[in-house]
Amino acid sequence: MKFNTKTIHGKQQPDLAYGAVMPPIYQTSTYAQSTPGGHKGYEYSRSKNPTRDALENAFASIENGDFGLAFGSGLAAIDAVLKLLKSGDEVICNNDLYGGTYRLFTSVFKNFGITFHFVNMDNPDAIEAYINDDTKLIWVETPTNPMLNIIDIEATATIAKKHNILLAVDNTFATPYLQQPLDLGADIVMHSVTKYIGGHSDLVMGALIVKEKSLAERLYFIQNASGAICGPQDAFLALRGIKTLHVRMQRHCENGKAIALYLASHPKVENVYWPGFESHPNHDIAKKQMKDFGGMISFTTKGNDYNTSIKLIENLKIFTLAESLGGVESLAGHPASMTHASIPKEEREKTGVVDSLIRLSVGIEDEEDLINDLKQALG
Ligand SMILES: *Cc1c(COP(=O)(O)O)cnc(C)c1O
């Protein structure tokens, strides 16, 4: 089955009770038993719920994995991966991470004796210098948020395998429509389902997808033991979102390209960060591991002026000023004061998250309307 078919049919079957094509929302915490332990596969909804099962199967299918797990948020999914580790273990991650991931690592898990190394992974060989016997996990986000850097997943997976270290990839920005990290050698794929997979800005959810059974069992144990599951209503909404992922992503990419080119040609724009430009430092890797370049773009205004950027964002009419990304509607954000405010100024400026940086999540509206909106706001 190819990708577009998988988004609709992958590992799905009509509901066993009445043949409902969409799985019912099993809004229940518990299930009747005929005798202690005598049940139909479901005992308690933290452990298992039929609507969540359908969604978790769909996650596995679209990422070419064998097992999917749904969580109450993207961060809850990351939290579950970190709970595979123990005190004394070390993690290597890229140095321009989503702000919430950085906060979880440095303000929560660091307190439990886990060490994090934030590394520029433009050249994956740089990772080797940080590897020792305690290194248990490499955490990669690509494209990165908000600088749109690209990390070579296959090359990173080769290093991880050589040293017997788990490789987890945050695939939120790319989605499996653009890249499938498990096929490139990653062990775990993570999503903030809140973004493109949900796609309609109506839920908060996270996902993990793996191939290996023993790893899936360990993560399932953590999911059930820690309990950060999603509810059945949200599982239904995410499943509905997945069915149009491919058509939405195609339009996100088309509109993204048009806007990246428009911004790059505008005299009031300084730098445009989008992996589709041939001049992007990792363009070749993007071309190798991604099908297209996505709908996320960051840019700075001429002279890197904070006030100009803020005024521009305030003047936008179709782009909504808001946190988050990946929905059908176009959003604009100011990373330094919003998504990345939890990263110290010196740290974020090192990676390019300067005060004038604007991040766009290009939606699936008419391209002309979006460009006209940017034109009037830049004017
Ligand atoms: C939003 C986001 C997360 C966190 O997901 P939540 O669903 O908000 O908890 C993690 N990684 C990336 C790249 C994100 O954009």
Side-chain angles (χ1 to χ4, degrees), residues 72-76 78 98 100-101 139 141 143-145 170-173 190-195 203-206 324-325 359:
S73 71
L75 282 170
I78 302 173
Y98 169 69
T101 307
W139 186 272
E141 192 180 303
T144 64
N145 179 2
D170 181 337
N171 205 26
T172 300
F173 266 38
M190 174 263 154
H191 279 281
S192 170
V193 178
T194 316
K195 317 294 170 51
L203 58 87
V204 173
M205 188 190 289
S324 201
L325 62 105
R359 190 191 75 183

